[in-house]
């Protein structure tokens, strides 16, 4: 069974640009979650999508947004990139809410 | 007070040792509890869920004390490959979908 897949692995952008990160959940999982892990810090919850709808978002500004497609894959968009957005962005999926979440390898976003 | 608190360590132990990690959580309404393992600059990987009755998976034993809001992980017969950061994880408030991660406890197993 394929795990959660994320692309790209690495992404280098400059301040003010926009970034798009992609995630495919484990087959059969309908919930997709996004987390940010800045260097040396813990994982911070960003967004939760379930059945195509945004169900919850963490304490991040509106320039962090995303969507979930009919096939349950998801996209995270970050607009007007700032230096402090440099981090590892992790996507996770679960079969149902409150079930264990399984993580992809992450996208490492670097802002120059 | 942090929602999930762990001793960051590091814990330096010899191969074969038994080591225990503890974690406390602040939300008494939490229903789901997990231990994840994270290797340097890699994604977290689910180690085990934690149940009220306690559960064991090979050399790993997890315990939950709801009254004290306390979770533990015991690793017996430590291997070099157990060296990693262990994350205590609790589900957020009902219907938020989010997991709340502790900062992690670093384990270094020495030969």
């Amino acid at each position: 069974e394929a795990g959660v897949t994320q692309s790209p692995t690495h992404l280098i952008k400059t301040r003010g640009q926009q970034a798009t990160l992609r995630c495919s959940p484990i087959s059969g999982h309908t919930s997709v979650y996004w987390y940010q892990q800045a260097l040396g810090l813990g994982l911070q919850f960003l967004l939760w999508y379930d059945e195509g709808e945004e169900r919850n978002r963490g304490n991040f500004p509106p320039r962090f947004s995303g969507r979930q497609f009919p096939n349950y894959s998801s996209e995270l968009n970050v607009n007007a990139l700032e230096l402090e957005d440099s981090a590892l962005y992790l996507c996770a999926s679960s079969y149902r809410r409150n079930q264990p979440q399984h993580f992809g390898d992450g996208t490492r976003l670097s802002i120059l | 007070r942090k929602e999930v608190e762990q001793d960051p360590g590091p814990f330096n132990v010899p191969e074969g040792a038994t080591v225990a990690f503890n974690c406390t959580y602040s939300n008494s309404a939490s229903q789901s509890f997990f231990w994840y393992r994270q290797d340097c600059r890699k994604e977290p990987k689910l180690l085990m869920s934690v149940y009220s009755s306690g559960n064991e998976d090979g050399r790993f034993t997890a315990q939950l004390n709801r009254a004290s809001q306390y979770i533990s992980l015991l690793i017996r017969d430590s291997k070099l490959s157990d060296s990693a950061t262990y994350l205590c994880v609790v589900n957020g408030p009902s219907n938020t979908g989010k997991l709340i991660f502790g900062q992690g406890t670093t384990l270094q197993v020495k030969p």
Side-chain angles (χ1 to χ4, degrees):
Chain A
E1 177 187 83
V4 177
T5 58
Q6 291 186 244
S7 64
T9 304
H10 293 95
L11 193 54
I12 300 174
K13 295 284 186 178
T14 57
R15 286 179 63 191
Q17 284 189 312
Q18 186 256 353
T20 298
L21 288 61
R22 296 180 176 84
C23 171
S24 292
I26 292 171
S27 178
H29 287 192
T30 60
S31 276
V32 171
Y33 312 82
W34 288 94
Y35 292 85
Q36 181 197 65
Q37 187 173 32
L39 192 63
L41 298 180
L43 278 82
Q44 300 296 318
F45 171 76
L46 257 169
L47 288 159
W48 170 33
Y49 292 96
D50 184 56
E51 298 285 356
E53 301 281 335
E54 180 180 305
R55 302 296 182 180
N56 192 28
R57 64 180 294 127
N59 189 24
F60 282 84
R63 57 191 185 81
F64 287 83
S65 65
R67 53 182 172 165
Q68 186 178 35
F69 299 98
N71 66 354
Y72 303 113
S73 67
S74 177
E75 221 172 61
L76 173 69
N77 295 294
V78 189
N79 294 320
L81 287 164
E82 300 179 2
L83 293 177
E84 56 262 34
D85 296 335
S86 294
L88 178 67
Y89 289 84
L90 290 159
C91 173
S93 73
S94 71
Y95 178 63
R96 285 194 301 269
R97 67 184 68 179
N98 289 339
Q99 294 297 305
Q101 295 177 19
H102 300 271
F103 286 83
D105 293 344
T107 293
R108 195 163 298 280
L109 176 61
S110 298
I111 312 304
L112 305 180
Chain B
R1 181 185 171 190
K2 289 182 183 174
E3 293 178 280
V4 178
E5 293 207 58
Q6 294 181 251
D7 178 350
F11 284 61
N12 295 301
V13 303
E15 270 187 291
T18 296
V19 61
F21 305 139
N22 304 316
C23 161
T24 57
Y25 61 95
S26 61
N27 184 359
S28 60
S30 295
Q31 295 294 320
S32 302
F33 309 90
F34 311 98
W35 283 101
Y36 279 76
R37 169 196 169 127
Q38 187 172 29
D39 293 283
C40 188
R41 295 172 71 83
K42 299 276 195 174
E43 78 280 14
K45 290 187 175 165
L46 178 67
L47 184 64
M48 58 199 303
S49 300
V50 187
Y51 305 113
S52 296
S53 54
N55 48 303
E56 188 175 306
D57 182 2
R59 298 181 293 109
F60 299 84
T61 301
Q63 298 275 357
L64 168 65
N65 184 320
R66 286 188 185 270
S68 302
Q69 294 177 211
Y70 171 96
I71 306 163
S72 65
L73 176 69
L74 183 76
I75 305 176
R76 290 181 299 278
D77 189 23
S78 299
K79 312 289 185 194
L80 295 176
S81 56
D82 293 335
S83 298
T85 296
Y86 291 83
L87 303 168
C88 177
V89 182
V90 176
N91 73 295
S94 176
N95 294 323
T96 64
K98 68 176 181 179
L99 294 179
I100 301 169
F101 287 78
Q103 288 287 93
T105 298
T106 300
L107 172 66
Q108 188 68 43
V109 181
K110 307 282 190 185

